[in-house]
Amino acid sequence: MKGIILAGGHGTRLHPLTMGVSKQMLPVYDKPMIYYPLSVLMLAGITEIQIIAAPHDVPGFRRLLGDGSALGLRFSYAEQDKPRGLADAFLVGAEHIGDDPVALVLGDNLFHGPGFGEILRASARNVDGCVLFGYPVSDPERYGVGEVDEAGRLVRLEEKPAVPRSDLAVTGLYFYDNDVVDIARGLAPSERGELEITDVNQVYLERGKAEFVQLGRGFVWLDTGTHDALTAAGQYVQILSHRQGVRIGCVEEIAWRMGYIDRDSCHRLGLALSGSPYGQYLMEITAGAHRPAPVG
C-alpha cells in the first residue's frame, strides 16, 4: 500500500500564522504538525509516502523530511497549485499510487488511541473497496457523517447535514483499493469547484464496498486547523509527554520500533537533536535497549 499526506491549502483559518509558512509545518507541542499524520502511515506499515503541497511549500517539506531514507522510508513530493478538493490527491498522486492500494491522510489530523497501530495494520491488509474511520463528535453537522445499522455496517454518508442522523464523523484518514484513481477521474466538481472525498466514498458505498471502522472510547482525533484546535492538540501532546513520558508522533521512535531502522540508527538521529528534549528522549529510549514489539 502506498501513502499520501495531503498538506496543501492556504491555512486561512490559521492566519496570520500561516501567511509565511505551511500549516502542516506549525508546531504541535514539540514537533511539526506533519509528523502526526506521517506517524499514522508508518504505524500502518506503509513505507512509500508522497507529500502533496502547494508549490511554494514543497521545498520546506523537502528540507524537513528529505528522501525518507533516515527513517527507512521513501518520500516523494508533488505539487498542488491550488486546492481542488481532497479527491484531487488521487489525480496528483496517480503515478505514485501506480497499481497499488493507497492510504490518504490529511496533514492536519492527529490520531491517538489504544491499539491504534494494530487497527491500522489490520485495516490496510487486502483492502477491497474503501475503509473509513469514524469518530463520535458533539457537533456532527460540521463534518461528513456516517450512519451505521445495528450490525455496525455503513448504510449512509452525508456531508455536513443540517440534521445529522448520527454523531459519527468521517475522519481525515482513508484506505482505498486501486479503483480510487479511476473513480476520482470520473468525478464532477461540486458547487464549490472541488472534487469531494464524500463523492468518492459514496461510489464505494453504492458498490457495497465501504467499511466503517469506529474509533470509540479511549481514542483521540483532532483536526488542528483552527487556533483553538491547534492549542488543544499541543496541550494534549504535552500532557502525555509530561505525565506519562509518552511522545506520540515521534517518527524516529516509530521507525525503530516498526523495524524500519535499527537501534543504533535511531540513537544517531537522537544524537543529532541532542540539544533538545526531543533528541534526548530518543537517546534515552535507545540506550542499551533491544527493539520491542511495534508501537501503537
Side-chain angles (χ1 to χ4, degrees), residues 189-291:
S190 65
E191 292 182 357
R192 58 179 184 167
E194 297 190 356
L195 302 180
E196 305 290 351
I197 198 73
T198 299
D199 292 341
V200 172
N201 298 336
Q202 186 64 39
V203 171
Y204 280 105
L205 179 61
E206 291 171 359
R207 293 179 178 180
K209 289 190 172 185
E211 180 182 351
F212 202 48
V213 177
Q214 297 184 44
L215 304 176
R217 178 173 293 187
F219 280 88
V220 171
W221 169 55
L222 297 171
D223 170 351
T224 55
T226 68
H227 294 100
D228 286 345
L230 182 63
T231 299
Q235 291 172 338
Y236 176 76
V237 175
Q238 180 189 39
I239 288 170
L240 283 178
S241 176
H242 285 193
R243 295 189 180 179
Q244 297 185 10
V246 174
R247 290 184 181 264
I248 65 172
C250 182
V251 295
E252 298 88 351
E253 179 182 11
I254 292 171
W256 167 47
R257 296 192 189 276
M258 290 290 293
Y260 303 148
I261 60 175
D262 60 24
R263 178 184 63 84
D264 290 342
S265 296
C266 186
H267 189 83
R268 286 193 295 270
L269 291 173
L271 186 62
L273 304 172
S274 60
S276 69
Y278 185 89
Q280 293 161 16
Y281 168 78
L282 290 172
M283 295 172 66
E284 289 169 2
I285 63 172
T286 54
H290 298 285
R291 181 172 66 86

